[in-house]
Amino acid sequence: MRFERRLTTPRWLVFVVPIGSLIAAFAAAAVVLLLAGKDPLATYARLFDRGYFAPGALTNTLITTTPLLLTGLAAAVAFRMRLWNIGAEGQLYLGAVGASGVGLALHGLPGPVIIPAMILAGLVTGAAWAIIAGLLRAYLNTNEIITTLMLNYVAGLLVTYLIFDSRSIWRDLSSFSARAFPQGKPLPDAASWPVLNIAPDPSFAVTVPFGFLVGIVVAVVVWFLYGSTSFGFDARVLGDSPSAARYAGIKTKRVVVLMMGLSGALAGLGGASEIGDFRHVLDPRGLQQAGFGYAGIVVAALARYNPFAVCVVAVLLGGLANAGYSLQGPDFPAGLVGVLQGMILFFALGGELLLRYRVTWSRQRAQSAAVPATGEAGAA
């Protein structure tokens, strides 16, 4: 068995491999369920019902999908040019800090002023946090996997400090109980992002978060950026061959810093959406327990860094996560969703190998030199 590099990848394989990876992941998880004494078909039926079809399920799924969509786009933007930004988690925290800080500072102003300012603050703070690792990679050749991962912990400690160990604008100090038990200061009502209500049937109403709609627009912008701009062309060339990019005169350091900043900005937008769409308060523990930044890596890998595929995969994984939250109990395996997400990532990476290489089989027949046993009939 040999792995040979593909010179060209058939178009049909680009669609078949991700679908096959999903099927293989569900099949492997079914084996785990059988070993645990659970019925796989019944368990999956409950998952998809609670994730998409039960009353109110799709609304809750979109709530979980929104940050996954934005962090998935953040990872896809960087990964597509072989820039391994593992720091979407910390960049999301900083986006939440920036958006909530602006929302609190602009209290008293109308929503059409506060909401764009929150979006801009999330973009800027997320980008600024990611550019730290981008500068280290571009000018000191530091491994961005390590720097972005370590900055996640710094960002988490910073968010915790703002609420639990300081008297910052983000902390609620309005009452004795709030001072004794640290908590974030709620944002004004004008800082709550709008929603889109869709009710094709009275029994099936869907509320679409504003952040989800922003994420769809961002996916279109990312597709246009990579496919129709000189900056996107430079990023693709640099990702495919850094030496060719330098030979062509592309300013590689600038592209690395800007692309890392763009990736961080999208993750920061996810943090702004968490504040404006759902939490309406800076909640360090809630943000850190959710793990949306790390889950975005799974979304980007399964989508093969395609921005439109990221939208579809985010809805899929968001539905599974939402179903896991609602079904968690004594009769439902608590770790099933995490196991399933891990298997999806594992098989997605395996599928990526099949897209880049093809497997060939060859038989090597052993040739034995038959030496006839001949007696020496020499005459004495």
Side-chain angles (χ1 to χ4, degrees), residues 9-196:
T9 303
R11 292 185 64 87
W12 63 268
L13 202 61
V14 175
F15 297 97
V16 170
V17 167
I19 295 174
S21 299
L22 276 177
I23 295 174
F26 277 98
V31 174
V32 174
L33 286 171
L34 285 173
L35 293 175
K38 303 291 183 179
D39 182 358
L41 294 179
T43 302
Y44 288 156
R46 294 180 65 192
L47 270 177
F48 281 93
D49 178 66
R50 288 295 185 93
Y52 304 100
F53 305 115
L58 192 54
T59 295
N60 293 329
T61 290
L62 292 179
I63 290 174
T64 309
T65 296
T66 300
L68 291 178
L69 169 59
L70 292 167
T71 55
L73 288 171
V77 162
F79 290 1
R80 194 168 179 182
M81 69 164 287
R82 304 295 186 266
L83 192 62
W84 309 112
N85 177 19
I86 313 298
E89 183 80 3
Q91 293 145 24
L92 182 142
Y93 299 163
L94 266 293
V97 170
S100 58
V102 167
L104 292 170
L106 298 181
H107 68 280
L109 295 179
V113 176
I114 297 179
I115 293 172
M118 291 175 65
I119 293 175
L120 181 61
L123 291 169
V124 171
T125 50
W129 197 251
I131 283 176
I132 297 173
L135 291 171
L136 292 173
R137 159 67 189 275
Y139 292 97
L140 298 178
N141 200 27
T142 306
N143 190 317
E144 72 276 11
I145 297 177
I146 297 175
T147 54
T148 54
L149 185 61
M150 294 298 101
L151 283 171
N152 287 343
Y153 295 100
V154 178
L157 292 172
L158 174 61
V159 176
T160 301
Y161 168 78
L162 292 175
I163 301 300
F164 291 95
D165 300 305
S166 73
R167 301 177 67 86
S168 66
I169 187 178
W170 290 270
R171 181 174 173 179
D172 186 6
L173 300 171
S174 60
S175 64
F176 173 78
S177 62
R179 292 190 294 270
F181 303 97
Q183 59 188 10
K185 184 185 298 182
L187 269 67
D189 293 338
S192 298
W193 292 12
V195 297
L196 175 64

Side-chain angles (χ1 to χ4, degrees), residues 193-282:
W193 292 12
V195 297
L196 175 64
N197 292 311
I198 302 175
D201 183 86
S203 62
F204 190 79
V206 179
T207 301
V208 182
F210 182 68
F212 180 80
L213 300 176
V214 172
I216 299 297
V217 174
V218 168
V220 176
V221 172
V222 169
W223 172 80
F224 177 80
L225 177 70
Y226 262 106
S228 304
T229 66
S230 59
F231 177 71
F233 174 78
D234 292 347
R236 293 201 312 272
V237 173
L238 181 58
D240 292 337
S241 176
S243 58
R246 287 190 293 268
Y247 181 78
I250 296 174
K251 297 179 179 179
T252 57
K253 293 180 180 179
R254 184 183 69 176
V255 174
V256 167
V257 174
L258 290 178
M259 191 56 72
M260 185 66 84
L262 175 61
S263 177
L266 298 183
L269 182 58
S273 171
E274 272 292 287
I275 297 298
D277 274 321
F278 313 120
R279 297 183 186 273
H280 309 297
V281 65
L282 185 63

